[in-house]
Amino acid sequence: MSEEILINVTPRETRVAVVENGMLQEVLIERASRRGYVGNIYKGKVVRVMPGMQAAFVDVGLERAAFLHASDILHAVMPEVRDGVDVAGEAEIATPAITELLREGQELVVQVVKDPIGSKGARLTTQLSIPSRYLVLLPYSRVMGVSARIEDETERARLKSVMGELVGEAALGYIVRTNAEGLEREVLAKDVAYLAKVWNAIRNGMIEAAVGTCVYEDLSLSLRCVRDYLREHVEKVRVDSRETFERILRFVSRFIPEWVERVEHYSGERPIFDLYGVEDEILRAMQKEVPLKSGGYLVIDQTEAMTTVDVNTGAFLGHRNLEDTVFRTNLEAAQAVARQLRLRNLGGIIIIDFIDMQDLEHRRQVLRQLEKSMASDHAKSTVYEFSPLSLVEMTRKRTTESLERQLCEPCPTCAGRGTIKTAETMCYEIFREITRAVRQFEAEKLLVLASTSVVARIMEDESAAVAELEAFIGKTIRFQADEQYAQELYDVVLL
């Protein structure tokens, strides 16, 4: 697998595209007016304790109070397998009542683990974690974990042994990240020293900071992507901004000098996202339908509660029999679904309605294909077996808004419904409003302003109804089309 990271920078926006084997897999966006908060550490104050929810709302200086659940408060935490990291071996601790842990007005240091999404505020934790290139520091824990993606047991044992020597008796926890596999002791020692300096600066900030102050801010998007995504199979990081290129080069020279040659400044006249077809892919990611090469297609619906994916055979007829056609379409769909979830940054509960398959072995292979395709996703996901209704339920962790919700807003015409009232429906609604208006107010005649389509419908198909209505109310009605009116908008003016 060959991978490239493309970074497009404009004065107010940074966009990162991850391209695998020439195909766009992921898009990350950061805007100057709305930077993400995940990873930031704040000095906060409890503004409300909610015993019924086992949670509290904390003021950290953001637009809305942030949410802190009892299970995310340090003294209530049960160390467990978290984000694919093996941290087993510590005792289970029961979660006390939120009223035993916090009180209104109490000050505390918290970290954002999920950005504000929709109408919900940010999600917080008091279990601080500070990432570097190869490690994650857990200052309030004694955990020594290794990423579950490092599967070789000998290498896992070696890394734990090296970290044990480096950390010694220090009362700090560490998680060894996936890209630390095969590294020498000296490289990890540099990361340990770096994290120690960062932690000392944060501790000093905790004491001096006022409530609502950011004590620690994570790296910018371009540097985060280099830190988290630059691995062996990444061939190039191409940046179209000279200033950002130089900043990334300094970062790479300090932390991963052996990969400096992989960072390039793109100076071509054609925009870098156009060159790789990224802009077109982003536009397609806004569409509900996703065509498959076989002729089938997916229909993706994102709602507040969950995301649903419907798989259809479309024009694909196959060459053998119906079961074979369905199986092949579902296999292709499993790969496409994994890519679309990552590309669109869809998370939470996801329901996939594959085409019904009678063969149990075919079902098993489709599930395995889905799991295999999700393996390269940086977000943690869990795929469950087919349900009695032949649906596949899965979850995918998401800490930021989906791509669509970052780039789009609800349609002002349909208010996010996805549909609008027909011209016929609007005609009858206008007739009812006219009747209502003349009963309430005195007028000699009426003027109705409405969209071109609605007025055309009234004048052509509803002229008899208008004559009957004028006879009923005893007044003249004039209709005027206005291109500024959307189909569901109109005004009844009394003259």
Side-chain angles (χ1 to χ4, degrees):
M1 178 179 68
S2 64
E3 187 173 303
E4 291 181 84
I5 297 174
L6 313 176
I7 302 178
N8 166 238
V9 182
T10 53
R12 305 295 294 170
E13 180 184 60
T14 298
R15 300 185 300 171
V16 176
V18 179
V19 179
E20 292 179 5
N21 300 321
M23 184 174 289
L24 179 65
Q25 298 292 332
E26 195 165 350
V27 177
L28 304 165
I29 298 173
E30 183 175 82
R31 290 173 173 167
S33 60
R34 196 169 62 248
R35 281 196 63 178
Y37 306 106
V38 173
N40 292 359
I41 297 174
Y42 293 88
K43 182 80 165 286
K45 181 171 74 173
V46 178
V47 293
R48 193 175 182 188
V49 177
M50 309 285 287
M53 298 173 62
Q54 267 288 78
F57 288 98
V58 181
D59 177 16
V60 293
L62 303 181
E63 185 177 340
R64 291 190 296 268
F67 181 83
L68 175 62
H69 193 267
S71 62
D72 292 318
I73 298 174
L74 181 68
H75 301 293
V77 136
M78 177 186 76
E80 58 184 9
V81 174
R82 190 167 57 245
D83 293 341
V85 176
D86 175 15
V87 292
E90 298 196 14
E92 181 174 324
I93 305 172
T95 303
I98 188 70
T99 51
E100 297 177 24
L101 298 168
L102 298 175
R103 67 181 186 281
E104 290 186 10
Q106 179 179 342
E107 296 183 4
L108 72 169
V109 176
V110 290
Q111 186 169 33
V112 177
V113 293
K114 184 179 287 188
D115 276 333
I117 295 178
S119 60
K120 299 176 182 177
R123 177 90 183 236
L124 305 176
T125 181
T126 63
Q127 306 167 64
L128 306 186
S129 62
I130 306 160
S132 66
R133 169 67 183 163
Y134 302 113
L135 304 172
V136 177
L137 171 64
L138 307 175
Y140 295 141
S141 173
R142 294 300 301 272
V143 163
M144 188 61 67
V146 178
S147 168
R149 293 190 177 182
I150 300 178
E151 298 178 353
D152 185 276
E153 288 299 330
T154 303
E155 177 63 7
R156 294 174 66 83
R158 184 190 73 84
L159 289 169
K160 280 190 175 183
S161 175
V162 169
M163 288 303 299
E165 295 171 7
L166 292 174
V167 176
E169 297 299 317
L172 297 170
Y174 287 89
I175 292 171
V176 181
R177 304 181 72 174
T178 306
N179 51 2
E181 187 171 8
L183 291 181
E184 297 298 325
R185 183 181 191 278
E186 292 72 21
V187 179
L188 294 174
K190 289 180 181 179
D191 256 24
V192 170
Y194 165 74
L195 288 172
K197 291 178 182 178
V198 173
W199 175 232
N200 284 332
I202 291 172
R203 282 195 301 181
N204 293 334
M206 290 179 186
I207 299 169
E208 301 168 0
V211 169
T213 301
C214 181
V215 179
Y216 166 81
E217 188 171 15
D218 203 0
L219 298 172
S220 64
L221 175 61
S222 55
L223 295 183
R224 284 202 312 274
C225 286
V226 172
R227 180 190 70 192
D228 298 338
Y229 287 50
L230 190 52
R231 298 192 176 93
E232 285 295 339
H233 54 262
V234 176
E235 294 182 351
K236 293 291 180 183
V237 177
R238 291 190 166 92
V239 193
D240 66 3
S241 160
R242 171 64 68 176
E243 182 182 349
T244 304
F245 164 73
E246 291 175 351
R247 189 181 303 123
I248 291 174
L249 207 57
R250 288 194 296 270
F251 181 85
V252 174
S253 299
R254 178 179 178 185
F255 295 104
I256 32 178
E258 67 275 16
W259 287 357
V260 164
E261 294 182 356
R262 301 191 188 197
V263 182
E264 291 184 356
H265 175 239
Y266 174 78
S267 56
E269 292 185 4
R270 191 177 178 189
I272 190 169
F273 273 24
D274 288 355
L275 185 67
Y276 285 79
V278 173
E279 297 289 9
D280 291 339
E281 286 290 338
I282 292 174
L283 287 176
R284 282 193 281 271
M286 300 294 103
Q287 306 298 318
K288 289 177 62 172
E289 286 196 10
V290 179
L292 303 176
K293 290 181 180 178
S294 64
Y297 61 94
L298 311 177
V299 179
I300 301 174
D301 278 304
Q302 182 186 0
T303 68
E304 193 70 26
M306 67 182 71
T307 296
T308 62
V309 183
D310 186 31
V311 183
N312 298 279
T313 54
F316 183 46
L317 302 176
H319 302 289
R320 297 174 61 185
N321 54 52
L322 178 61
E323 181 69 17
D324 181 68
T325 300
V326 167
F327 174 54
R328 291 179 182 277
T329 303
N330 283 340
L331 276 179
E332 185 186 359
Q335 292 179 289
V337 166
R339 175 175 175 257
Q340 290 297 323
L341 295 181
R342 185 177 173 189
L343 175 59
R344 298 170 186 238
N345 192 27
L346 297 170
I349 299 170
I350 298 159
I351 307 294
I352 308 170
D353 185 8
F354 286 107
I355 307 166
D356 287 346
M357 293 175 288
Q358 303 303 317
D359 191 317
L360 295 180
E361 177 59 20
H362 284 174
R363 289 189 174 197
R364 189 191 68 79
Q365 289 187 44
V366 168
L367 274 180
R368 297 297 83 79
Q369 179 64 66
L370 179 60
E371 291 170 343
K372 180 182 176 182
S373 301
M374 295 293 299
S376 60
D377 193 348
H378 295 276
K380 183 184 178 184
S381 60
T382 305
V383 180
Y384 298 93
E385 297 292 329
F386 276 88
S387 75
L389 293 176
S390 297
L391 304 173
V392 172
E393 300 171 10
M394 64 172 290
T395 60
R396 181 178 182 271
K397 185 177 181 181
R398 185 189 72 216
T399 57
T400 59
E401 288 275 25
S402 68
L403 182 64
E404 180 185 7
R405 290 184 178 173
Q406 286 186 72
L407 300 180
C408 306
E409 63 182 9
C411 167
T413 300
C414 70
R417 298 196 313 270
T419 59
I420 60 173
K421 296 175 184 176
T422 64
E424 182 182 24
T425 300
M426 293 309 302
C427 290
Y428 301 146
E429 189 171 314
I430 289 171
F431 294 163
R432 288 193 298 272
E433 181 60 27
I434 290 171
T435 305
R436 188 181 301 116
V438 297
R439 287 175 176 171
Q440 289 183 304
F441 306 102
E442 291 293 331
E444 295 182 5
K445 53 186 177 180
L446 297 95
L447 170 65
V448 176
L449 301 170
S451 69
T452 303
S453 58
V454 171
V455 171
R457 170 85 190 194
I458 290 174
M459 303 307 292
E460 294 171 11
D461 299 334
E462 305 294 341
S463 55
V466 172
E468 291 177 6
L469 182 60
E470 286 181 326
F472 176 71
I473 64 174
K475 302 181 189 304
T476 303
I477 308 170
R478 186 163 63 89
F479 295 90
Q480 181 175 319
D482 191 326
E483 293 182 356
Q484 300 299 315
Y485 279 69
Q487 186 156 301
E488 289 192 359
L489 295 179
Y490 64 87
D491 283 307
V492 176
V493 182
L494 304 175
L495 302 175

